[in-house]
Amino acid sequence: MGTTQLETVPEPKYWHLKTVLSEALESEFSVGEILPNERDLAARFGVARATLRQALEQLELEGRLQRRRGVGTTVAPPRVGVAVGTEQHAWPGAGNDVWQAVDCAVAAPPAAVAAALETGREEAVYTVRRSRVSHGQPVAAELLYIPAASVPELSAIDAPSGPARARAVLRELQRLELEGQESAVELGSARADDAKELDRLPGAPVLVVTTRFLAGGRTAALSVATYRADTCRLTFGDSGGVEIHQDPERRAS
C-alpha cells in the first residue's frame, strides 16, 4: 500500500497577524487599555479590515481581548480560574454554593431541555435564573430547569416571586436524594439575554456547561451555565470545593 504525501498548508494571513498582534499587546499595551480603531490598526499592519477582524476575533476567543459596550476593544485581564468539579456532588444552592439566585419563572422549556428532562414539550417547569460574580465582574449566568415532579411539595405560599421563589424551589429540590451528576462543556456564542447579563456583546465567545442532576433514576434537574470565555478558564478536579483565583501563568505588561 502506497503512502500519501500531505501538502503543506500555508498559514492563513489572519493567523500570522494574530501572532504579530499578540506581541504588540505584550510590549505596547497594558490591561484595560483601549486599542486603536480597526481602520488605524489595518493601516498600521498593512492588511484588509476583514483580515484584521478575524485576528481580533481569535484573540478575543483566547481571552487576550475584550469587546466592551460603548468602549471598544480593550486588553483583557488574566483569566480567573473557576473550578466546576468537586469531590462530592451536591444540589444547586446547597453547601458553599457561590451562585446567587436572581429569579424564577414557570414555563415550557426549550425542546432539547424537555427531551433531557423527559417531560412533555408543553409541560411547564420551574426555570431558576442565577448569576455568578468574581472580582466584582459577572463571569457566568445559569438557567436551572426543574420539573414540578422534582418539587412536589412546593406551594405558591412557599414560592412568591423573584429571588425568594428561586430559593424556595432550590430548598425543595434538596429534599431529594442526589444519586449523581454529569457535566459536559462546549464552546458557544452568547445569546442576547446572556450577553446583557454578562456585560458582553451578542455573539461573544462563551463556555457552556450543561449538568444533569440525577435522582430516582431520572434527570431531576438540568443546569445550563454560560461562562465568559474571555475571562474564565474552567478547571475540573476533586478539590472538594469551588475556588476562583487569578491565573499566575499569564500577565499583561
Side-chain angles (χ1 to χ4, degrees):
M1 186 174 181
T3 59
T4 301
Q5 187 71 32
L6 296 178
E7 295 182 2
T8 301
V9 178
E11 182 181 68
K13 193 169 185 178
Y14 82 88
W15 195 264
H16 174 69
L17 177 60
K18 179 186 77 76
T19 302
V20 174
L21 284 171
S22 294
E23 295 173 353
L25 291 179
E26 293 176 356
S27 61
E28 301 178 29
F29 297 91
S30 58
V31 170
E33 188 171 348
I34 302 174
L35 267 62
N37 60 42
E38 290 185 359
R39 181 178 58 189
D40 291 343
L41 284 174
R44 170 180 171 178
F45 295 105
V47 298
R49 292 179 67 175
T51 300
L52 175 68
R53 289 194 189 101
Q54 285 182 294
L56 293 177
E57 288 172 358
Q58 187 64 37
L59 288 170
E60 182 186 12
L61 184 62
E62 295 178 2
R64 301 297 305 278
L65 297 176
Q66 292 180 356
R67 289 185 299 167
R68 301 176 59 187
R69 296 174 184 272
V71 176
T73 301
T74 63
V75 179
R79 291 183 177 184
V80 294
V82 182
V84 295
T86 60
E87 186 175 40
Q88 300 195 359
H89 296 160
W91 288 113
N96 297 322
D97 194 332
V98 297
W99 290 87
Q100 299 174 348
V102 176
D103 199 1
C104 179
V106 181
V113 173
L117 294 175
E118 298 182 343
T119 59
R121 294 191 62 175
E122 301 302 322
E123 181 179 339
V125 302
Y126 293 98
T127 303
V128 173
R129 187 160 57 92
R130 302 197 299 168
S131 65
R132 186 168 181 177
V133 176
S134 173
H135 302 285
Q137 68 176 359
V139 295
E142 180 195 49
L143 290 177
L144 182 63
Y145 300 96
I146 304 170
S150 297
V151 288
E153 302 301 322
L154 189 69
S155 68
I157 297 177
D158 296 328
S161 61
R165 181 180 217 179
R167 289 191 291 268
V169 172
L170 295 180
R171 283 195 301 270
E172 190 64 28
L173 181 64
Q174 292 165 29
R175 294 176 181 270
L176 296 178
E177 181 179 351
L178 181 62
E179 297 173 352
Q181 62 192 64
E182 304 169 351
S183 296
V185 183
E186 59 184 327
L187 181 66
S189 299
R191 301 173 305 173
D193 52 349
D194 291 330
K196 182 178 180 180
E197 189 164 350
L198 296 175
D199 192 26
R200 295 291 87 194
L201 295 173
V206 293
L207 296 170
V208 182
V209 181
T210 302
T211 304
R212 297 172 61 224
F213 295 89
L214 309 174
R218 63 180 178 83
T219 302
L222 182 73
S223 165
V224 180
T226 302
Y227 290 81
R228 284 174 51 168
D230 62 331
T231 60
C232 293
R233 59 182 178 86
L234 305 184
T235 59
F236 297 80
D238 296 332
S239 61
V242 178
E243 298 178 0
I244 298 181
H245 51 277
Q246 294 290 338
D247 182 353
E249 297 179 359
R250 208 191 119 244
R251 293 186 175 88
S253 59

